[in-house]
Amino acid sequence: MNEEDPKLIFFFHRIFKKTSGNGGLTLYLGKRDYVDHVSSVDKVDGVVKLDPADFGDRKVFVQLACAFRYGSDDLDVMGLCFRKDIWTQFVQIHPPVDKPALSAMHETLLKKAGDGAQPFSFEIPNNLPCSVSLQPGPDDKGKACGVDFEVKTYLAMEKCNPDEKIEKKDTARLIIRKIQYAPSQVGAGPKAEICKSFMMSDKPVHLEASMEKDLYFHGEDIPIKIKIKNESNKTVKKIKVTVDQTTDIVLYSADKYTKAVFTQEFGDTVEPNGSFENTLTIKPLLADNKEKRGLALDGRLKDEDTNLASTTMLREGIEKDVLGILVSYKIKINLMVAGGGLLGGLTASDVTVELPLMLMHPKPEERQEDNKGK
């Protein structure tokens, strides 16, 4: 049974559904992406269509879980679990306990599901991580490691009894994503400068780097304004620009690593007592980093295209240990300065400044009604 049925469209909503192996439970969701607005998160409203003929005295529950996966399901053997739940919530929908107030999404889904459908609703706390997956290596198989959210409906005697075995045929599940979009207002661009002196040179090299804004969209050109004033007796041979992604897996305090996602050398030279001023344009892309194992990506659904992970935006005062994976970026501008005089290359050195970078998606415009009359 496919998770997505493109034929299920109702009032311009694409509807996602999954049916359990026993045919008694069908889970419906109106979307897979739920936006974290920092102060609040979109509610998860869905319905389950029930065919209770074979339920017996079992109940029907719906669970929303945020979990960190650090191994494939194929490795869940000998009692070892490679998935750590960060947060879970359950609701009972059969027999119904408390029905939620119906939203417009509920109304749409109930009309599509027909008789026997029960609504449910979850509120995602705003202190949970966004969906992030770690890029597998070329030979890795199974689900990617990372943070994901899963909506699951299932048959059981109790909602959460570790000793009760729940058959796969009695469950239906859909992966969803918690995502953040760039704020509508961007801030002033960062600026960094350094004045560095060298051995065997009386005067220094000045380097200044700046950007027009503090946030750029995935796939957008990023212009960096560079100013160099070389008062030394050495030659600036070239300019190297690197973008580093730092991934901090806060569930495991030792797991913090940095990988370059962009590197380019510019052959501009600056002679002694010379100056340079120009704008260098860069664009870090996942397409150039497909082979880098462990790179943080925005959470993906099945095998659809994705991109480098977006920068994690945090509320003030939030406890980081529940956030799963934190992602940040920085740009390094490095002047490769050749040694001069009698010592030549022995006195070569670098001049480096760093700029913070936020990479995110723009908030999509509301979908326009493009199927009028259909």
Side-chain angles (χ1 to χ4, degrees):
M1 177 72 65
N2 292 330
E3 289 189 5
E4 302 171 13
D5 186 350
K7 296 178 182 178
L8 294 177
I9 300 175
F10 186 78
F11 289 144
F12 314 111
H13 282 297
R14 185 177 182 184
I15 293 176
F16 303 89
K17 76 169 187 176
K18 187 68 180 290
T19 300
S20 61
N22 63 20
L25 304 172
T26 302
L27 173 62
Y28 289 82
L29 293 175
K31 59 182 183 178
R32 302 286 285 273
D33 289 341
Y34 295 83
V35 180
D36 178 351
H37 304 278
V38 181
S39 60
S40 64
V41 185
D42 290 349
K43 291 178 69 172
V44 180
D45 291 337
V47 305
V48 179
K49 182 178 177 65
L50 310 174
D51 182 359
D54 298 323
F55 289 2
D57 55 357
R58 292 178 295 176
K59 302 171 184 175
V60 179
F61 301 95
V62 184
Q63 170 191 290
L64 174 60
C66 170
F68 180 79
R69 182 191 303 278
Y70 52 99
S72 169
D73 286 341
D74 300 338
L75 300 176
D76 289 354
V77 295
M78 298 176 61
L80 297 174
C81 181
F82 290 83
R83 179 182 171 92
K84 177 180 175 64
D85 285 338
I86 299 172
W87 174 87
T88 57
Q89 191 173 29
F90 305 85
V91 294
Q92 178 180 320
I93 60 170
H94 177 79
V97 179
D98 293 313
K99 288 192 176 182
L102 295 184
S103 64
M105 180 64 76
H106 282 133
E107 299 283 3
T108 297
L109 296 174
L110 288 168
K111 287 177 182 177
K112 173 52 66 178
D115 294 339
Q118 293 290 340
F120 64 85
S121 187
F122 291 105
E123 299 219 11
I124 302 176
N126 58 4
N127 64 343
L128 293 180
C130 287
S131 299
V132 177
S133 61
L134 302 182
Q135 180 163 263
D139 299 324
D140 291 344
K141 301 187 185 307
K143 293 183 180 179
C145 299
V147 172
D148 64 33
F149 288 77
E150 179 186 77
V151 181
K152 178 177 75 172
T153 183
Y154 59 97
L155 282 168
M157 300 299 295
E158 300 178 54
K159 69 179 180 182
C160 185
N161 181 354
D163 296 325
E164 183 177 3
K165 182 174 177 57
I166 300 173
E167 301 288 344
K168 282 190 175 181
K169 66 181 179 62
D170 294 330
T171 66
R173 60 185 76 201
L174 286 170
I175 296 294
I176 64 173
R177 292 189 291 202
K178 176 174 172 284
I179 58 177
Q180 285 181 325
Y181 291 123
S184 55
Q185 300 293 325
V186 297
K191 177 180 175 181
E193 54 187 315
I194 188 174
C195 181
K196 183 170 181 179
S197 299
F198 301 92
M199 186 191 311
M200 310 294 291
S201 179
D202 293 337
K203 293 187 178 180
V205 171
H206 301 265
L207 168 62
E208 178 185 302
S210 61
M211 290 152 60
E212 295 178 349
K213 54 184 182 176
D214 65 345
L215 187 150
Y216 288 83
F217 301 141
H218 293 288
E220 182 181 9
D221 286 341
I222 303 173
I224 306 169
K225 189 172 184 180
I226 307 291
K227 292 182 181 180
I228 303 169
K229 187 176 182 182
N230 183 9
E231 297 180 335
S232 73
N233 60 4
K234 302 176 183 295
T235 300
V236 176
K237 288 291 188 181
K238 55 187 171 182
I239 304 169
K240 181 179 180 181
V241 180
T242 305
V243 179
D244 286 340
Q245 179 196 78
T246 297
T247 303
D248 186 1
I249 303 177
V250 292
L251 286 172
Y252 306 96
S253 58
D255 284 2
K256 182 174 183 176
Y257 55 90
T258 297
K259 294 179 180 288
V261 295
F262 177 91
T263 302
Q264 184 173 347
E265 293 184 353
F266 299 85
D268 302 279
T269 62
V270 187
E271 300 294 334
N273 297 310
S275 60
F276 171 89
E277 185 171 335
N278 199 3
T279 298
L280 307 179
T281 300
I282 65 171
K283 186 191 294 185
L285 295 170
L286 175 58
D288 302 323
N289 295 276
K290 287 288 192 181
E291 301 300 314
K292 291 185 180 176
R293 189 174 190 270
L295 204 63
L297 315 178
D298 274 344
R300 68 172 74 194
L301 299 174
K302 301 182 75 173
D303 295 322
E304 69 180 37
D305 290 336
T306 185
N307 46 265
L308 296 171
S310 297
T311 300
T312 306
M313 300 190 71
L314 302 177
R315 289 187 304 114
E316 290 185 11
I318 197 167
E319 293 185 13
K320 291 185 178 180
D321 59 352
V322 299
L323 285 176
I325 298 176
L326 306 179
V327 178
S328 61
Y329 294 89
K330 66 182 175 184
I331 301 172
K332 292 195 296 189
I333 299 96
N334 183 42
L335 306 185
M336 306 180 81
V337 181
L342 296 175
L343 296 179
L346 296 176
T347 58
S349 186
D350 291 351
V351 181
T352 304
V353 295
E354 296 182 355
L355 297 171
L357 169 67
M358 289 195 289
L359 273 180
M360 299 190 77
H361 285 292
K363 186 173 182 179
E365 295 181 6
E366 294 298 325
R367 267 192 266 180
Q368 298 299 313
E369 188 174 321
D370 55 2
N371 289 343
K372 280 188 178 180
K374 293 188 180 182

